[in-house]
Amino acid sequence: AVLVSSKYKMKSLNNTDNKITKPVIIPDMVEDHPVTAIYRNAFRNALITEVVLPETIEYINSFAFSCCFYLEKVNFPDSLKKIGNSAFRSTLIKSVDINNPDLVIADSAFTCNGLLTDANLNVRSIGESAFEDCFQLKNVSLGDSVEKISSRAFKCCSSIENINIPESLKFIGTGAFSGEIRLGN
């Protein structure tokens, strides 16, 4: 089963007072079928603050949670295989903790996330501009499964203080860490 649309989508820009403060829990089964994907734009512009994804989720498609301007917290199940283009673009997520060695983070997946401070990523690859303009990102921990960091993946992440580069890394794209980046002690 694929979750295609959400009742939480904002109908108009004047509707911002109705944010959902209770966690939105995605079911693991619908009519005896496992929920394996969140469809493109399913929650785009939703007024949600937290999403709980089931262990059955394998794909979060493009723009699925894009422009959820109040979204602060999401769990990332071990079953995930791909986070699509701009899936979490322009949210308020403060921390990303993904431990899935086969996961692919697509282009611009978390770009323009102004509050993101910590990214713990044990994934296979990080797409172009995946974390671009996450200007408060301070700590980046890359796990032993990371093989590829694409172009501009961490561009303009000017607050990075700590980053570790694993021996597994085979490719770093052009400008992956371009822009103002200051590394701490």
Side-chain angles (χ1 to χ4, degrees):
V2 174
L3 193 138
V4 175
S5 187
S6 160
K7 67 180 180 180
Y8 301 107
K9 287 176 109 173
M10 186 167 44
K11 307 271 188 283
S12 101
L13 292 176
N14 298 326
N15 196 8
T16 57
D17 294 334
N18 298 322
K19 72 178 179 180
I20 311 301
T21 56
K22 290 174 52 175
V24 174
I25 300 171
I26 308 298
D28 59 347
M29 300 287 279
V30 173
E31 296 179 7
D32 296 326
H33 299 284
V35 177
T36 58
I38 308 293
Y39 196 68
R40 179 182 179 92
N41 295 316
F43 285 86
R44 188 174 191 164
N45 296 323
L47 299 173
I48 57 178
T49 57
E50 181 178 354
V51 172
V52 179
L53 298 170
E55 284 298 323
T56 55
I57 292 291
E58 296 178 2
Y59 301 98
I60 299 173
N61 286 295
S62 300
F63 302 99
F65 295 95
S66 182
C67 299
C68 289
F69 298 117
Y70 297 108
L71 183 58
E72 295 179 7
K73 189 173 179 185
V74 178
N75 66 307
F76 296 95
D78 294 342
S79 56
L80 267 177
K81 294 180 179 162
K82 184 173 183 181
I83 296 176
N85 295 355
S86 298
F88 293 96
R89 179 186 191 108
S90 299
T91 65
L92 295 179
I93 296 172
K94 295 174 183 159
S95 179
V96 173
D97 190 7
I98 303 173
N99 185 17
N100 187 337
D102 296 322
L103 180 70
V104 173
I105 297 176
D107 300 347
S108 303
F110 293 93
T111 195
C112 298
N113 186 323
L115 293 183
L116 183 64
T117 58
D118 297 293
N120 300 307
L121 307 169
N122 191 31
V123 300
R124 185 174 61 210
S125 69
I126 301 168
E128 284 188 25
S129 303
F131 292 89
E132 185 173 342
D133 292 328
C134 291
F135 55 87
Q136 289 191 31
L137 185 60
K138 290 182 180 180
N139 300 299
V140 178
S141 177
L142 302 175
D144 290 335
S145 65
V146 177
E147 296 178 356
K148 179 180 179 183
I149 299 174
S150 297
S151 300
R152 301 180 313 280
F154 293 94
K155 182 180 178 187
C156 296
C157 294
S158 57
S159 296
I160 290 178
E161 295 174 358
N162 300 300
I163 187 167
N164 67 304
I165 305 294
E167 289 184 29
S168 59
L169 191 61
K170 297 175 183 172
F171 177 85
I172 298 178
T174 304
F177 297 95
S178 64
E180 289 187 30
I181 294 181
R182 61 175 174 79
L183 293 176
N185 302 340

